[in-house]
Amino acid sequence: MPPASVATPVVPPTIPPATSPVPAGAQRPQTPPVAAAPAPIAPAPTVAPPAGIPAAGMAPAAPSVTATPVPPAAGSGRPDILPIPTPLPTAGYPMFTGTGEGRSQLIRLRDIRSGALHLEGAAAESGVTFTTRQDDAFVAARISLVFSYSNAVARDDGELAVFLNNEPIGTVALGKARGPKARAEFTFTPALLSTDNRLQFRFTLKGQGATACKLERDKSIWVNIEPATFIFLSTTRLPLADDLSFLPRPFADPKDPLPLSLPFVLPANPEPGVIQAAGMVAGYFGLIAGAKGASFPVQYTGLPAGNAVVLVAGGNYPAGIAAIPGQGPRVAVVANPSQVDSKLLLIVGENAEELQAAAGTLATAGARLTGGWSAASEPLPPPRQAYDAPKWIPSNRPVRLGELADGGALSGRRLIDSPQISFRTAPDLFFGALSGGTMYLHIRRADDSWIDAGNSRVFVDLNRKVVGEIPLEPKLKVLSRLKEWLFPGKADDRVSQVLLPGFQLASQNHLDFMFELRAKADADCEMLDWSDRTGIDPNSTIDLSRVAHFAAFPNLALFANAGFPFTRYADLSSTAFVMPETSAPEEVQAMLNLLGMMADSTGVAPTRFKVADAARVDEVADRDLIVIGLQSSQPLLKEWGANNSVQITSASVTAGPGLTFLQRQLQPVDPRAPYYRGAAPELAKANLGKPYAYLTSFWSPLNADRLVVMVGSTQPANLVEMSNQLGDPEQVANVQGDFYYLTGGKGEFYTSGIRKFVGGLPIWWRIQWLAGSFELAAFICVICVILIFAVTIERFSAHRANRILVRGLPNPPTETV
C-alpha cells in the first residue's frame, strides 16, 4: 500500500511588486479526490490556511484593501483615461498548484469573458457568473481587482463596490480623494461561495450618483474591470465512492471553471480499433469540458499520479489493478494505486470491437451506468443527419431564445443587468441577398411606477458590437398610434426586429442585452429595485431560415473554429482519421484533442468515425480524411506533400504559385477568404531548421469530392501544441487559408486562392453573387446590353416612323410591275 500523503499548506500567490514578477507558464496537474468506500463522505482533511486568509469557520477579518497604480488597458486609445505613471509587469499567476489534500486555483476574468467589464455613467453596475467544482470544499478565498477609469472619475470622488452572490465583499475608493487606484486586493469568507456564483461590480460617483438614475448616461464617466482581475481559492477535494453513477465526476466536472487535463493509458502499439475506442471516450469528456477546453495526454506504460482513463484489452491490466469480473465490454471505476486519492476509469474488452462497444456505451448512455463496474454493450444511436448538431441553431425554422438559455437567465433583478445568450451556427451559412439573420425581440417590462419608459432602452450586442437599440416605449407613427387606440394591447405584445448582420455572425456567437432604465423625475434613486419580470421574453426568436449552406474549400478557418466540414455530421459518420502504422503517444494525443474540440463544437460525443493506418488509407477513401503524424512516422505527409500550398525542406521554403491574374478574374469571390495571402512562408524562412508543426488542407487524391486536413510536425511536442491551439478560442482566429505554420508559439497562415465552392444557392442569389464577384465583367455586360437595347430601339423607331410617314402621303406610291 502506498504511503498516505501528508497535508501541505498552500500559500496563495501574492501580488508581486514591480521588481518581482511571478513566473508564468505553471500548469494545473490533475490531483483528484481521495478514494473512499460507498460509506458517508469522510470529513475533509485540515489544511493550514494561507497567510492573511481566515481559516474555515473563523470570523472573516475586515477586508484588507491594498491599491497599486497600474496602467489602463493597452490600446484603449481613449483621451480621457487617467494617466498612470508607474506601470507594473503582467503577472503570470499559476493556474493550479498544491497537493492531493490542499489545492489552489485561480479563476481569471479573462477566462470567464473575452474582454473587460465596462461600467459607464455616474451609477452603473454589471457582473459575471462563474462556477466551481461540486466536490470542492473552500478553505480560503481572495479577490485581486484590476481596474482603470476615466479622467472624469479621477476629478471626482467615487466608490467601486464588489458583491458575491448579493453579499458585499469589499469596496474601493476612486478619484481625487485617494489618487490613482488601479489594483486592489481583499479577502472574503469562503462561506459565500457556492457551485454557481455571481460576481457583481457596482460603481457610484459621489454627488451625481444620487441622481444618476434620472440622467442620461455620461459616456465620459466610466470604470473598466480589466481581464487581469482574478479570484484565488484554496480548496480541499472531497472524496467520491467508486461508483459509475457519479460520472463524469471525478474525471471531469461540468462546473469546473478550469480546462480539463485527463491522461489516457493505452496498450503498447495500439491498433487502429483501440485508438478509435479511446477517441470515443475523449469525445465524451471533451463534451463535458465544453468551451473551457480539454487535453488528453497519452502514455503506454505505467499509471499517472492522478485521475486517468485506462483501456484494458485482452485482460492485460496494469500492475496493481485487480481484474474486473464478468465477460464482454465493461466499464469500471477503481482507486488508482499510483495515488490513493485519485481514480481510474477502466474501459475493458477482449478485443478492439469490445473496447469500442464499451466506449460507445459510455459516450452515448453513460447515465445508465451504476455501481463499481457495469456491463457496457448498449447499441449506438441511429446515424445523425447533416447539420443536426444540438449546439447549432437550426436554419430551417425560427429558434426561441428560451431554447438557448434558461428563462430566468433572461430576466434582471437589479437596476442594470445584462442577460446573455450564447449560440453556435453552422459554419458554412451564406446569407446571399440577405443582410443577415433577424431577431424578433419581445421585451418584458414590469409595471414599476418609477420607470420612465420613454427614456429607457435596451441595447443589443452581437459579439461585443451594438446591433440594435430598442426603446421600452417606442415613439409610434400615426398609423401605429391609431392601431394602438383601436386595438389596445400590452407593451409586452410589441415585437421589435433586430438585424443580426451576416458579417458579424460567426461559428460561435454571444448576444448581450444591456438594459438602460431611466427613472421618473420624482423617483428616489436609492429606493429603486428592478422587478424579476423585467427582461427578455423567452418566446423571442432568431430566424435564420432563409439562409443557404454554401462555402468554398479548402478553408482552415472553418476547421479550426468548428471542425467543419467533418462536423457536418455531428457523429463524424463521414470522417476517418489516418494514423501512422505505429503511433507515438503524442500522435494519439493530437487525435484525442481534436475529437474533444469537435465534440464541444457540436454537442455530440462522436462515435461513428473510423481510424485507419496509412497503409490502408484506400479503405476509407469514401470519407473526409484527417491525417495526423510526425514526418518521421507518417508516410502520407511526404506522399501527399505535393498538394501543400507551401513546401518546406531543411534548406528552403517555396510558396505555391497561386492563381494567375486571368484566373483571379475568372474565379468567383469567396466572402470568407482572407483579404491577403498570409505570411506563413516568411515565418518559415525565418525559422529554417527549427522544430515546427503545420496544418494544411486540400482535396483528397483518392476522391475528388472528399477533403483532406493534415496535421504534421517535425517533433512530438509541436504536434501536441498544434492540437492544443485548435482548442484555444484566442489562437484559432489566426488559422485561415489552406496552410498554417506554427513554431515557437507563433503561427501564420497562407492561402493559394485555389478553391472550390460547395453547396447550393437559389438562382437569384447565385446571379447576384456572380455579379458581385465579376464586377468589371458585369459592368461591361450591362453596358453591352444597354447598347444592344438602344440600337434595337433606334432601328425599330426609324422603321416605325418611315411606315407612318408613308401612310400619311395623299397619293402613296404604288408598286409597278
Side-chain angles (χ1 to χ4, degrees):
M1 178 180 296
S5 53
V6 180
T8 305
V10 178
V11 180
T14 57
I15 298 298
T19 57
S20 303
V22 178
Q27 298 295 319
R28 171 192 180 184
Q30 190 75 12
T31 49
V34 178
I41 294 177
T46 304
V47 178
I53 301 181
M58 296 177 59
S64 59
V65 181
T66 59
T68 312
V70 298
S76 59
R78 293 287 297 269
D80 57 340
I81 292 182
L82 179 68
I84 307 293
T86 309
L88 285 179
T90 302
Y93 294 100
M95 288 297 296
F96 196 91
T97 59
T99 65
E101 287 82 6
R103 293 172 169 81
S104 302
Q105 69 181 45
L106 203 93
I107 304 174
R108 304 176 299 179
L109 182 62
R110 65 164 50 95
D111 298 324
I112 303 173
R113 55 180 289 128
S114 58
L117 202 61
H118 188 66
L119 308 179
E120 189 174 86
E125 72 176 82
S126 188
V128 294
T129 59
F130 67 95
T131 59
T132 59
R133 286 185 63 104
Q134 302 169 69
D135 51 5
D136 273 349
F138 304 105
V139 177
R142 188 180 78 244
I143 183 170
S144 178
L145 191 64
V146 183
F147 53 91
S148 60
Y149 50 88
S150 65
N151 271 327
V153 176
R155 290 191 295 266
D156 207 331
D157 285 327
E159 184 178 82
L160 180 63
V162 185
F163 299 82
L164 179 64
N165 298 328
N166 296 326
E167 295 292 336
I169 60 174
T171 58
V172 180
L174 308 178
K176 63 182 180 181
R178 302 235 178 192
K181 308 287 185 185
R183 173 172 278 156
E185 179 181 292
F186 42 86
T187 63
F188 59 92
T189 173
L192 297 177
L193 289 161
S194 64
T195 302
D196 298 283
N197 303 277
R198 181 170 181 81
L199 186 64
Q200 195 85 3
F201 301 93
R202 182 181 300 171
F203 165 70
T204 306
L205 196 64
K206 297 295 180 63
Q208 295 186 50
T211 59
C213 68
K214 309 170 190 177
L215 306 174
E216 291 292 332
R217 189 174 297 180
D218 188 346
K219 295 185 179 299
S220 67
I221 301 174
W222 56 264
V223 175
N224 276 346
I225 310 299
E226 301 296 340
T229 296
F230 67 85
I231 296 175
F232 175 83
L233 302 176
S234 180
T235 68
T236 60
R237 188 66 48 83
L238 301 177
L240 291 177
D242 295 343
D243 195 329
L244 293 168
S245 62
F246 288 118
L247 287 174
R249 297 186 297 148
F251 306 96
D253 191 330
K255 299 292 187 178
D256 194 336
L258 303 179
L260 172 66
S261 179
L262 181 62
F264 274 61
V265 180
L266 273 62
N269 299 322
E271 61 178 286
V274 173
I275 298 177
Q276 185 172 326
M280 295 179 183
V281 180
Y284 167 73
F285 283 108
L287 178 61
I288 300 300
K292 299 183 293 290
S295 179
F296 304 104
V298 174
Q299 63 188 66
Y300 292 162
T301 59
L303 291 174
N307 291 336
V309 176
V310 181
L311 273 69
V312 180
N316 297 317
Y317 290 85
I321 299 179
I324 302 300
Q327 299 293 326
R330 304 182 302 286
V331 178
V333 57
V334 299
N336 185 352
S338 295
Q339 186 176 353
V340 294
D341 65 344
S342 60
K343 297 186 185 298
L344 301 177
L345 180 63
L346 304 183
I347 311 297
V348 184
E350 289 301 315
N351 49 46
E353 288 73 20
E354 289 192 359
L355 289 177
Q356 292 173 25
T361 301
L362 173 69
T364 60
R368 302 179 190 175
L369 300 175
T370 59
W373 69 273
S374 174
S377 56
E378 293 283 340
L380 294 179
R384 303 192 69 94
Q385 302 299 311
Y387 299 107
D388 72 344
K391 283 193 176 181
W392 297 359
I393 64 173
S395 57
N396 57 356
R397 64 174 177 85
V399 180
R400 295 174 56 253
L401 297 189
E403 299 177 46
L404 306 176
D406 180 75
L410 300 177
S411 300
R413 295 173 297 280
R414 303 197 65 84
L415 179 62
I416 298 176
D417 210 344
S418 299
Q420 298 178 342
I421 290 178
S422 296
F423 65 94
R424 291 179 180 265
T425 63
D428 64 340
L429 291 185
F430 185 85
F431 291 92
L434 302 177
S435 299
T438 305
M439 181 167 59
Y440 298 93
L441 193 63
H442 300 250
I443 299 177
R444 284 191 322 201
R445 178 168 62 87
D447 298 327
D448 292 331
S449 58
W450 60 269
I451 296 179
D452 183 0
N455 291 322
S456 300
R457 62 202 68 249
V458 179
F459 294 92
V460 182
D461 280 15
L462 174 63
N463 298 327
R464 312 301 178 193
K465 294 182 180 179
V466 178
V467 295
E469 179 181 340
I470 304 170
L472 256 63
E473 190 173 276
K475 296 180 180 179
L476 303 176
K477 297 180 180 179
V478 175
L479 292 179
S480 299
R481 287 181 179 274
L482 180 61
K483 179 182 176 182
E484 287 272 318
W485 182 71
L486 293 175
F487 307 100
K490 298 180 181 179
D492 287 358
D493 296 333
R494 297 187 183 125
V495 179
S496 301
Q497 292 189 28
V498 179
L499 176 67
L500 305 179
F503 65 88
Q504 280 186 227
L505 283 168
S507 297
Q508 186 167 1
N509 305 276
H510 303 278
L511 275 173
D512 294 87
F513 303 93
M514 292 172 288
F515 282 76
E516 183 179 298
L517 300 186
R518 301 267 68 86
K520 296 178 179 177
D522 58 349
D524 184 354
C525 290
E526 295 184 357
M527 300 299 294
L528 302 183
D529 192 16
W530 189 1
S531 169
D532 285 340
R533 208 176 70 82
T534 302
I536 305 300
D537 194 315
N539 290 319
S540 302
T541 59
I542 297 175
D543 189 0
L544 300 178
S545 59
R546 298 174 60 194
V547 303
H549 293 282
F550 188 71
F553 295 96
N555 187 338
L556 289 175
L558 302 185
F559 176 75
N561 282 279
F564 199 83
F566 305 94
T567 50
R568 181 170 177 264
Y569 294 91
D571 54 7
L572 303 189
S573 57
S574 64
T575 298
F577 289 84
V578 184
M579 306 295 291
E581 186 174 356
T582 302
S583 298
E586 291 81 5
E587 292 170 320
V588 178
Q589 179 182 353
M591 175 190 146
L592 301 187
N593 289 352
L594 291 179
L595 284 165
M597 178 268 288
M598 293 179 179
D600 169 51
S601 172
T602 61
V604 172
T607 55
R608 293 188 176 273
F609 61 92
K610 294 294 185 183
V611 177
D613 59 45
R616 297 185 177 183
V617 66
D618 292 340
E619 298 177 3
V620 290
D622 60 336
R623 293 172 174 251
D624 296 310
L625 305 178
I626 300 178
V627 181
I628 300 175
L630 301 171
Q631 287 186 339
S632 59
S633 61
Q634 177 57 272
L636 293 183
L637 297 183
K638 296 179 180 179
E639 292 179 19
W640 292 356
N643 296 284
N644 297 342
S645 58
V646 177
Q647 305 290 329
I648 303 176
T649 67
S650 58
S652 65
V653 177
T654 306
L659 300 176
T660 65
F661 174 80
L662 181 60
Q663 287 174 323
R664 289 198 303 271
Q665 304 308 310
L666 297 178
Q667 178 169 279
V669 171
D670 178 12
R672 297 181 181 87
Y675 62 89
Y676 73 105
R677 301 189 71 177
E682 289 73 18
L683 181 63
K685 291 176 183 177
N687 292 273
L688 270 179
K690 296 181 180 179
Y692 66 90
Y694 65 91
L695 192 67
T696 183
S697 182
F698 48 84
W699 291 98
S700 174
L702 306 177
N703 189 331
D705 295 326
R706 292 295 181 176
L707 202 71
V708 173
V709 168
M710 290 204 307
V711 188
S713 177
T714 58
Q715 297 292 335
N718 296 85
L719 188 65
V720 173
E721 181 185 12
M722 173 66 81
S723 65
N724 286 333
Q725 279 213 0
L726 294 178
D728 186 346
E730 296 181 2
Q731 299 294 335
V732 296
N734 300 325
V735 184
Q736 300 183 60
D738 47 40
F739 188 90
Y740 180 72
Y741 177 87
L742 176 68
T743 184
K746 183 178 181 181
E748 292 286 353
F749 75 90
Y750 178 79
T751 180
S752 64
I754 301 173
R755 51 189 176 267
K756 181 169 70 175
F757 289 88
V758 178
L761 289 179
I763 183 63
W764 172 243
W765 284 18
R766 183 173 289 273
I767 293 173
Q768 184 192 52
W769 168 60
L770 292 175
S773 297
F774 308 112
E775 297 179 356
L776 180 60
F779 177 76
I780 293 174
C781 289
V782 170
I783 295 298
C784 291
V785 170
I786 293 174
L787 289 175
I788 293 172
F789 184 73
V791 170
T792 303
I793 293 296
E794 190 273 335
R795 292 295 182 92
F796 177 77
S797 300
H799 176 70
R800 180 68 176 168
N802 185 56
R803 292 186 61 184
I804 293 175
L805 181 62
V806 170
R807 289 177 182 176
L809 293 177
N811 295 311
T814 58
E815 296 182 0
T816 58
V817 180

